[in-house]
Amino acid sequence: MKGTRPGAPVERAWTLPSAWYAGEEHLARERERIFARSWQLAVREEQIANPGDYVAVEVAGEPVVVVRDDRGGVRAFFNVCRHRAGTVAPGESGCVKAFRCTYHGWTYRLDGTLRTAPEMEGVERFEAKDFGLRPVRCEVWSGLVFVNLDPQAKPLARALGRVGDLAAKTAFATMRFGRRDVYRIACNWKVYVDNYLEGYHIPAAHPGLNRILDYRRYEVETDGPIVIQRSPGRGEDRADERYLYVWVWPNFMLNVSPGYAQTNLILPDGPERTVCVFDYFFAGAEDAEAVAFSDGIQAEDIAICESVQRNLRSRAYEAGRYSAKRENGLHHFHELVRRALKTGTVPH
């Protein structure tokens, strides 16, 4: 089958085969070999500002709770009671002095240790210290909390690569969260990432954006776990980070434009369904015009992605070729996917 052989340079390579964009079995492999072994954005740190504040999320199909502990630290645990798998942190968020299982009332301190286990007297070889909540790797970058289900994962800094240095050249660090928009799209998660990773479609698909960016000087750079896209505005002399788009393996994006920024989290919601979570950050007051412009681009991308997903089912298509000039970022992503599914290796 075309598109399955890894390692070919972009000039000779084929894209991922269409069969990889459908099917529960293939998505299950991706959840285990990609999402369960990579750093995933979970919450913004401001969402758990005070001791006891928690947010419950799902990561690679697993229930996870992120909490601010009694000492002000950020922790994450599997949201699963050690007794009979009840839920210890109900709902989407809350504030508690201790976690209490909604099934049989076992309670856990904010550091995950078991505090009470009602009516367990007489149970042989039962020690409270052996039944704390299972921890999940958790680290913070620039006010964003990431988690990793793999206890052997490399530190978050390795997974982010040059993102910190790139962001430091922009005003992102001084921006404040403004709003969240959630899009539900009828496409495989990789279709959306594929589309994000190339500017090749801008002239044909995004006429409004094409009037702002200087497409002739649009640059795409690959670097380990990240792909960097940058462009000056039309008529500007310098190809600096005025418009900066950074993708981080496998499903996190940071987009910085004059006056505002976005983080994008791309989550599979089935083999042919994707949830895109857009968090906006602003240098000042919320810029309604910028949000409307971004939403218009997103509408164009959604139409493209849903059309591509439908066409991937066609007997006329199995795999395609890359534009060596414009699709090096897409090729890089596909190579990382191939490697992860074959060996379970994540990029650092």
Side-chain angles (χ1 to χ4, degrees), residues 245-299:
Y245 311 100
V246 185
W247 167 84
V248 180
W249 168 264
N251 62 330
F252 172 72
M253 294 94 160
L254 173 65
N255 311 317
V256 184
S257 300
Y260 76 101
Q262 292 172 342
T263 60
N264 302 160
L265 182 63
I266 312 306
L267 300 169
D269 189 35
E272 298 185 48
R273 298 187 308 277
T274 296
V275 174
C276 299
V277 182
F278 280 37
D279 281 353
Y280 283 84
F281 300 79
F282 299 97
E286 180 175 324
D287 188 336
E289 185 177 343
V291 172
F293 181 76
S294 175
D295 190 61
I297 294 172
Q298 179 69 347

Side-chain angles (χ1 to χ4, degrees), residues 9 63 112 114 130 188 335:
L114 179 63
D130 298 328
N188 182 273
E335 287 298 297

Side-chain angles (χ1 to χ4, degrees), residues 122-307:
V123 177
E124 296 182 4
R125 293 188 294 276
F126 177 78
E127 299 286 345
K129 64 181 177 61
D130 298 328
F131 287 86
L133 296 176
R134 294 289 191 189
V136 173
R137 289 282 301 279
C138 176
E139 293 190 36
V140 180
W141 173 78
S142 194
L144 305 177
V145 181
F146 291 78
V147 299
N148 196 318
L149 301 184
D150 182 1
Q152 306 303 318
K154 299 293 185 182
L156 176 61
R158 292 278 298 276
L160 292 176
R162 292 164 50 202
V163 170
D165 292 339
L166 291 165
K169 296 178 181 179
T170 73
F172 175 66
T174 64
M175 296 181 185
R176 296 293 175 262
F177 173 75
R179 63 179 286 153
R180 166 170 289 187
D181 289 338
V182 179
Y183 302 89
R184 300 184 182 276
I185 308 174
C187 73
N188 182 273
W189 72 277
K190 296 188 300 300
V191 168
Y192 190 90
V193 175
D194 289 353
N195 182 70
Y196 177 89
L197 287 174
E198 47 90 356
Y200 189 25
H201 69 286
I202 290 176
H206 298 307
L209 184 60
N210 194 44
R211 286 192 292 270
I212 294 174
L213 300 181
D214 188 339
Y215 179 72
R216 295 171 303 170
R217 292 189 289 168
Y218 194 99
E219 299 176 353
V220 180
E221 177 187 358
T222 64
D223 189 1
I226 68 174
V227 173
I228 306 153
Q229 301 177 79
R230 55 166 69 87
S231 175
R234 283 187 179 270
E236 295 179 348
D237 293 331
R238 297 176 57 228
D240 59 13
E241 282 70 43
R242 182 168 174 81
Y243 296 96
L244 176 68
Y245 311 100
V246 185
W247 167 84
V248 180
W249 168 264
N251 62 330
F252 172 72
M253 294 94 160
L254 173 65
N255 311 317
V256 184
S257 300
Y260 76 101
Q262 292 172 342
T263 60
N264 302 160
L265 182 63
I266 312 306
L267 300 169
D269 189 35
E272 298 185 48
R273 298 187 308 277
T274 296
V275 174
C276 299
V277 182
F278 280 37
D279 281 353
Y280 283 84
F281 300 79
F282 299 97
E286 180 175 324
D287 188 336
E289 185 177 343
V291 172
F293 181 76
S294 175
D295 190 61
I297 294 172
Q298 179 69 347
E300 294 166 346
D301 280 332
I302 289 173
I304 292 168
C305 291
E306 293 187 340
S307 174

Side-chain angles (χ1 to χ4, degrees), residues 94-109:
C95 185
V96 295
K97 292 184 178 179
F99 293 118
R100 184 177 186 273
C101 178
T102 57
Y103 196 3
H104 298 98
W106 283 32
T107 62
Y108 299 85
R109 298 177 183 88

